[in-house]
Amino acid sequence: MYEIIQKPWPWYISGPLIALIMFLLLKQGKDFGMSNNLRTMCSIAGAGKTSSFFRFDWKSQIWNLLVVLGTIIGGFIAHFYLSDGSTPDINSKSVLDLQSLGIIENLQKYMPDRLFLFDGSLFQFLLLSIGGLLIGFGTRYAGGCSSGHAISGLSNFQLPSLIAVIGFFIGGIIMVQFIFPLIF
């Protein structure tokens, strides 16, 4: 049983589980999305005093804050207690592409250190700061984050979510194929 938890689950198990959770949330009239929690946390901190956007019943969103807390705790437990330390099983063509871009020499884990370890350089600080601001702006401008649109919005048959998800994919392709090689 322990081995089942240590390995990534295939789509035919995780997909229906996500669908079941979405069905239960929709049945209760709730929308899933991680970026909604930023508004809730700002409202709790008192941002409603300066902006009407943050004036709402944040107590009705406590359940969504528990999702964030569960995600953080679950990620910690999975990383430190449920990981078997084996190299992730990623498509060999993807590994070759990462090697050709100079991101990895050989794959040891899911996130290459070259991309995710802060080295203290001004370039990396600016890249992370500007990227974070653009993601925050884009999330607000699009009316939600990628998980909210792709999981919750598409399951509600919302056309704006379909447009946003298509935009996420186009933006990702442009980033990986054209901008990323220029930066690194």
Side-chain angles (χ1 to χ4, degrees):
M1 179 71 165
Y2 186 68
E3 292 174 7
I4 293 173
I5 296 174
Q6 286 185 315
K7 300 288 182 190
W9 291 358
W11 66 267
Y12 53 83
I13 293 175
S14 55
L17 286 174
I18 291 171
L20 174 66
I21 296 297
M22 281 311 305
F23 173 75
L24 294 173
L25 285 172
L26 292 173
K27 191 151 177 68
Q28 293 184 11
K30 299 185 183 306
D31 288 331
F32 172 76
M34 296 305 258
S35 63
N36 290 337
N37 291 298
L38 296 173
R39 181 181 183 206
T40 303
M41 288 186 281
C42 289
S43 181
I44 290 170
K49 295 174 186 170
T50 59
S51 172
S52 62
F53 177 72
F54 297 108
R55 288 185 207 121
F56 72 103
D57 180 22
W58 60 263
K59 292 178 184 172
S60 67
Q61 293 297 312
I62 293 295
W63 71 272
N64 213 0
L65 288 174
L66 292 176
V67 171
V68 172
L69 183 62
T71 302
I72 293 167
I73 292 170
F76 179 84
I77 291 170
H79 177 74
F80 288 104
Y81 298 107
L82 299 178
S83 177
D84 65 359
S86 64
T87 302
D89 187 21
I90 295 178
N91 184 298
S92 58
K93 186 175 180 331
S94 296
V95 173
L96 289 174
D97 287 343
L98 291 170
Q99 288 172 338
S100 71
L101 290 170
I103 296 171
I104 61 169
E105 291 179 19
N106 55 23
L107 189 64
Q108 299 294 322
K109 50 191 165 186
Y110 284 107
M111 298 183 295
D113 288 340
R114 172 136 160 67
L115 295 179
F116 294 95
L117 286 181
F118 183 62
D119 64 7
S121 70
L122 179 62
F123 172 75
Q124 192 178 25
F125 176 77
L126 290 173
L127 188 68
L128 292 171
S129 299
I130 292 168
L133 287 171
L134 288 173
I135 288 172
F137 172 78
T139 298
R140 180 66 195 118
Y141 188 70
C145 62
S146 55
S147 62
H149 281 297
I151 298 171
S152 189
L154 291 180
S155 66
N156 282 319
F157 301 108
Q158 295 179 7
L159 180 61
S161 290
L162 177 61
I163 294 168
V165 170
I166 290 170
F168 297 147
F169 276 94
I170 291 171
I173 290 168
I174 290 170
M175 176 62 190
V176 170
Q177 295 298 320
F178 303 109
I179 300 172
F180 188 84
L182 293 174
I183 295 173
F184 294 101

